[in-house]
Amino acid sequence: MTDSVKLAGLAVAAPEHVISQQHALEASARLFADRFEDFRHLARVFDSAGIQKRHAARPLAWFDDAHGWQDRMQAYAEVASGLFVETASSALHQAGLEAGDVDCVVTVSSTGFTTPSLDAQMARRMGFRADIERVPVFGLGCAAGVSGFAIAARLARSRPGAVVLFVSVELCTLAFRLDELTRPNIIATALFGDGAAACVLRTGDGGMAEVESTGEHLFPDTLDIMGWKIDDGGFGIVLAQALPPFAEQELGPAVAAILARNGLTPDDIDRFICHPGGTKVLAAMESALSLTPGALDHERGVLADYGNMSSPTILFVLERAIRAGLPERAAMIAMGPGFSASCVTLRRI
């Protein structure tokens, strides 16, 4: 249908610096082992995380020194701006459009900020029109790749013919903390990487996939599962040990409820495309969604090559799923701070 929202372009990118998981482990041992009694026990996560390498905004040696807000946000502004332009330009080119065609840009990021926001900072460099509508979104964390995509899709649907650009940029490694001698900080050090993605959404013919439905579920009394604590040193990770069992128990009913509101059931979904938060979370999601163990193969491939990049990670998975050939109906699923679950269903064109 010409009035349905289509995904017309999708591009992904990552910073130039590559850190192998072995080098990340060696650096972490050098920085933490003599100061944190539990490090050797927790270091096993570097081997069990399913990650071979990740990309970072700064070279590995940068993380040997303590950095405050100014250093972190200067690095964020520099690298995030470049990734914004790279992914947005590529996605628009893929859609056969130019920056001047964009009517609205939705930008999600929870690992740094600039004021004015990234979309305004890059407006001249990109070539956006003066009447462009900007929607910067902060705080949705890992779920933002799906929830931000859903926001952009709803904006495109509300204004048939408008071109909506969705950009997700996360530089998780800039939150690395030398002073946080905690289990969550070590786990985060083993898991997170940096990356960005952009999508072009519009009504009309063509495109890679049709956006069928969107929905979210906010779990009550779950603020302590995931998020940031913010102090003078920067962001500090909040990551509950109970996340995988929580996902295994609660995700299935939440996704079923989202789908039901859109006249669907889990049996209608030919392929779930999930945010790969980690190997344990992926196993929990497979169980919660009644999938065969190991079914989330693209997710494990992205996790191995890039780590958990927060919000753009799901779009890296989507890009691989599209290249492999989307089935008749797919559902993107991501969880994030709130604690919340987001879902978008896509139909093959």
Side-chain angles (χ1 to χ4, degrees), residues 37-103:
E37 184 177 345
D38 288 340
F39 176 80
R40 287 177 177 82
H41 170 71
L42 291 171
R44 291 180 296 183
V45 72
F46 284 88
D47 294 324
S48 63
I51 297 169
Q52 297 175 8
K53 60 183 176 65
R54 86 281 303 271
H55 292 247
R58 288 290 186 256
L60 186 58
W62 187 85
F63 301 96
D64 285 354
D65 300 319
H67 298 279
W69 275 109
Q70 183 174 359
D71 282 352
R72 297 178 194 277
M73 292 306 101
Q74 282 181 345
Y76 176 85
E78 173 195 327
V79 180
S81 296
L83 291 172
F84 183 104
V85 171
E86 180 180 354
T87 55
S89 299
S90 295
L92 286 166
H93 177 75
Q94 191 176 71
L97 298 169
E98 298 179 354
D101 298 316
V102 177
D103 298 290

Side-chain angles (χ1 to χ4, degrees), residues 74-340:
Q74 282 181 345
Y76 176 85
E78 173 195 327
V79 180
S81 296
L83 291 172
F84 183 104
V85 171
E86 180 180 354
T87 55
S89 299
S90 295
L92 286 166
H93 177 75
Q94 191 176 71
L97 298 169
E98 298 179 354
D101 298 316
V102 177
D103 298 290
C104 176
V105 55
V106 177
T107 308
V108 297
S109 188
S110 296
T111 50
F113 44 82
T114 65
T115 304
S117 52
L118 280 175
D119 42 42
Q121 303 244 3
M122 294 298 102
R124 187 177 186 86
R125 185 171 165 189
M126 284 292 303
F128 292 145
R129 301 194 314 266
D131 64 347
I132 192 170
E133 180 180 358
R134 300 180 296 113
V135 185
V137 181
F138 179 87
L140 295 175
C142 294
V146 177
S147 52
F149 184 102
I151 291 169
R154 290 194 293 270
L155 287 168
R157 182 174 287 116
S158 70
R159 284 192 272 172
V163 174
V164 180
L165 175 66
F166 169 52
V167 183
S168 166
V169 182
E170 303 287 6
L171 302 181
C172 305
T173 63
L174 295 180
F176 173 75
R177 296 286 293 266
L178 279 170
D179 59 328
E180 288 279 329
L181 303 179
T182 64
R183 177 188 179 278
N185 188 48
I186 301 303
I187 301 299
T189 301
L191 284 178
F192 287 99
D194 301 341
C199 300
V200 177
L201 297 159
R202 65 183 305 186
T203 58
D205 296 320
M208 305 174 179
E210 175 188 341
V211 181
E212 181 182 35
S213 68
T214 68
E216 300 193 18
H217 183 93
L218 182 64
F219 299 96
D221 303 318
T222 56
L223 297 178
D224 60 343
I225 288 184
M226 180 184 288
W228 290 128
K229 63 180 183 64
I230 300 175
D231 58 26
D232 290 343
F235 293 122
I237 188 73
V238 174
L239 187 62
Q241 193 168 356
L243 176 54
F246 179 89
E248 185 170 6
Q249 180 178 346
E250 303 291 344
L251 180 63
V255 170
I258 294 170
L259 293 173
R261 293 196 295 272
N262 292 285
L264 299 169
T265 72
D267 290 337
D268 294 320
I269 306 303
D270 300 305
R271 206 321 182 160
F272 285 98
I273 297 171
C274 298
H275 169 70
T279 53
K280 289 184 178 179
V281 173
L282 281 175
M285 295 178 86
E286 286 173 340
S287 176
L289 299 171
S290 300
L291 304 176
T292 303
L296 299 177
D297 53 348
H298 295 313
E299 289 80 352
R300 287 180 171 83
V302 169
L303 188 66
D305 292 340
Y306 295 96
N308 181 350
M309 298 170 283
S310 190
S311 63
T313 320
I314 185 83
L315 300 174
F316 278 67
V317 180
L318 176 61
E319 191 267 343
R320 292 191 181 196
I322 289 173
R323 279 196 280 116
L326 280 179
E328 180 66 24
R329 179 182 280 122
M332 292 196 295
I333 305 290
M335 298 179 293
F339 191 70
S340 63

